[in-house]
């Protein structure tokens, strides 16, 4: 039996084994414009990076809020977070090394900034390429997909998202099949949150993502909700 919820056009089911371990944030938006981001976004991005570098430069992962809890979630699921690094931690490590955030497109850049600032892993997908019910579950033997900027991502025993066509996303590396491109107009954002950071923190992160997608990408927010 699964927990289920409906968003604007997509249905989501969470594997029963993840109850009490994981909360999911889910947002859908349409009419997204993925053109260049201007100086206002760059200034906001730089302010966030400067603050995080000041707070966490030289600190161990266990001492950084968000990183520690997400690592603990991975350990609960028997996933080694040093081998399969959560995307939020990977972004923070990059920033603390002075490399800044990657520039991909407006929606990806906005969501990367929110993942970095709130220290929650998230996936961003073209909602029109998702088929049927979305299942949040643990990967099965021999499951894999071609990853964005990677070769094959092996998913056995790892937390993932799957639709009627199979796995398409994870809190570590997403697939090319549902990746956001210049033609994307319907966005799906999924946040993976340790249960002890859910509630107000997860809701606030969803609200921030919605606000930035509206402000910088002209998005119309269709729905946003938390599943615990």
């Amino acid at each position: 039996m699964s927990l289920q919820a409906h968003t604007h056009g997509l249905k989501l089911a969470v594997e029963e084994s993840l109850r009490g371990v994981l909360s999911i944030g889910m947002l859908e938006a349409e009419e997204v414009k993925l053109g260049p981001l201007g100086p206002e976004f760059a200034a906001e991005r730089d302010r966030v990076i400067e603050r995080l570098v000041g707070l966490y430069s030289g600190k161990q992962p266990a001492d950084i809020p968000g990183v520690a809890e997400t690592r603990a979630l991975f350990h609960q699921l028997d996933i080694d977070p040093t081998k399969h690094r959560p995307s939020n931690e990977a972004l923070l490590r990059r920033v603390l090394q002075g490399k800044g955030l990657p520039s991909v497109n407006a929606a990806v850049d906005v969501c990367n900034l929110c993942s970095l600032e709130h220290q929650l892993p998230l996936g961003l997908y073209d909602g029109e390429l998702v088929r049927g019910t979305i299942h949040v579950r643990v990967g099965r033997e021999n499951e894999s997909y071609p990853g964005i900027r990677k070769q094959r991502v092996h998913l056995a025993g790892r937390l993932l998202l799957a639709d009627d066509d199979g796995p398409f996303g994870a809190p570590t590396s997403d697939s090319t099949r549902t990746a956001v491109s210049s033609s994307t107009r319907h966005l799906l954002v999924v946040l993976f949150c340790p249960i002890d950071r859910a509630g107000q923190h997860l809701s606030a992160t969803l609200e921030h993502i919605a606000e930035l997608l509206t402000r910088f990408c002209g998005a119309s927010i269709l729905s946003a909700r938390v599943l615990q």
Side-chain angles (χ1 to χ4, degrees):
M1 186 174 179
S2 297
L3 302 172
Q4 295 187 345
H6 294 270
T7 59
H8 177 73
L10 296 171
K11 180 179 172 183
L12 183 140
V14 181
E15 190 174 79
E16 189 72 17
S17 65
L18 298 174
R19 186 194 290 263
V21 175
L22 175 72
S23 288
I24 295 291
M26 195 169 176
L27 179 147
E28 288 184 76
E30 64 179 0
E31 300 176 10
V32 180
K33 300 175 181 64
L34 301 180
L37 289 164
E40 184 186 352
F41 175 81
E44 182 152 351
R45 177 199 63 206
D46 292 347
R47 282 195 299 271
V48 170
I49 289 175
E50 183 179 1
R51 181 175 63 83
L52 293 177
V53 169
L55 285 171
Y56 302 130
S57 183
K59 295 204 172 189
Q60 295 301 310
D63 298 325
I64 299 176
V67 173
E69 290 88 346
T70 306
R71 283 190 168 202
L73 168 65
F74 274 40
H75 283 304
Q76 280 185 275
L77 300 173
D78 294 321
I79 304 166
D80 185 346
T82 63
K83 292 182 178 178
H84 308 293
R85 202 174 299 284
S87 58
N88 59 301
E89 182 182 347
L91 290 171
L92 182 60
R93 287 170 63 89
R94 179 186 173 102
V95 162
L96 295 180
Q97 291 167 3
K99 298 177 181 177
L101 287 175
S103 180
V104 181
N105 62 52
V108 173
D109 293 359
V110 162
C111 287
N112 276 344
L113 180 61
C114 289
S115 178
L116 171 70
E117 183 171 8
H118 296 276
Q119 276 305 292
L120 285 176
L122 63 78
L124 179 64
Y125 312 100
D126 187 323
E128 293 181 358
L129 301 179
V130 176
R131 310 298 181 196
T133 299
I134 301 168
H135 295 273
V136 185
R137 60 173 176 82
V138 176
R140 299 163 187 156
E141 197 65 33
N142 298 320
E143 284 189 312
S144 65
Y145 52 56
I148 298 173
R149 295 184 300 280
K150 294 188 177 182
Q151 295 181 338
R152 202 106 199 138
V153 178
H154 297 282
L155 298 163
R158 294 169 65 175
L159 183 62
L160 60 78
L161 303 174
D163 64 2
D164 290 356
D165 292 336
F168 67 88
T172 51
S173 179
D174 290 320
S175 74
T176 56
R177 174 167 67 88
T178 54
V180 172
S181 70
S182 59
S183 62
T184 297
R185 293 297 176 267
H186 180 181
L187 285 180
L188 168 67
V189 184
V190 178
L191 292 93
F192 303 86
C193 184
I195 197 74
D196 56 356
R197 297 193 79 215
Q200 187 174 4
H201 180 75
L202 184 51
S203 296
T205 304
L206 279 173
E207 289 174 7
H208 192 202
I209 293 170
E211 190 266 323
L212 293 192
L213 286 174
T214 301
R215 178 152 49 110
F216 293 117
C217 303
S220 174
I221 305 302
L222 299 174
S223 64
R225 63 182 60 205
V226 172
L227 297 94
Q228 292 182 301

